[in-house]
Amino acid sequence: MADKNDAFYIQQHLANERTFLAWIRTALAMKGIGFLVFGVELVINSGNGAGGPVAIGVSMISYAAGMGVLISGTVLYFKNRRSINDQKFQSASGTILTAGILVTIVLSALLFYALFVYY
């Protein structure tokens, strides 16, 4: 059941929902990178090369980071929903910083994998 204050802040709540969907897309993209790396490793080396453990590591890092972004986005959505209704909204710099760090870790792992496998 919706809070009666939701009606007063419809645009803000709709923007909050769009932002949450962007968090979901980011999490899925990060997880997708992991599946892509693992799939490429299976096709190229059939899991027999030295890149196999690296691909598994990159995939696990990517999946864990994607889950971290998804959980952070979900928590942030409900926090923002509450703060919009209470008129106490503050930007979430900590969550943004955490997501930025997680994306950097995934992309660095992807670069490491590419350099390790192809050079």
Side-chain angles (χ1 to χ4, degrees):
M1 182 171 198
D3 188 347
K4 67 179 179 176
N5 286 337
D6 285 357
F8 294 117
Y9 307 107
I10 291 172
Q11 288 182 326
Q12 289 85 352
H13 286 296
L14 291 173
N16 189 31
E17 290 176 8
R18 286 189 301 273
T19 303
F20 176 64
L21 293 174
W23 283 103
I24 290 174
R25 284 190 300 272
T26 303
L28 289 173
M30 292 174 74
K31 291 178 184 181
I33 288 171
F35 286 116
L36 175 70
V37 166
F38 191 70
V40 167
E41 180 63 28
L42 288 176
V43 169
I44 291 175
N45 294 325
S46 299
N48 297 327
V54 175
I56 290 171
V58 170
S59 296
M60 292 177 72
I61 289 169
S62 180
Y63 185 82
M67 286 301 295
V69 167
L70 182 60
I71 291 167
S72 296
T74 303
V75 169
L76 187 62
Y77 169 79
F78 286 107
K79 177 186 167 285
N80 287 344
R81 184 173 186 270
R82 201 171 28 255
S83 66
I84 288 168
N85 285 340
D86 294 342
Q87 296 180 355
K88 297 178 182 178
F89 178 79
Q90 287 185 324
S91 62
S93 57
T95 305
I96 300 299
L97 180 62
T98 301
I101 290 170
L102 290 173
V103 169
T104 301
I105 289 170
V106 169
L107 293 179
S108 297
L110 183 61
L111 176 64
F112 174 75
Y113 170 73
L115 292 174
F116 182 81
V117 170
Y118 297 109
Y119 290 107

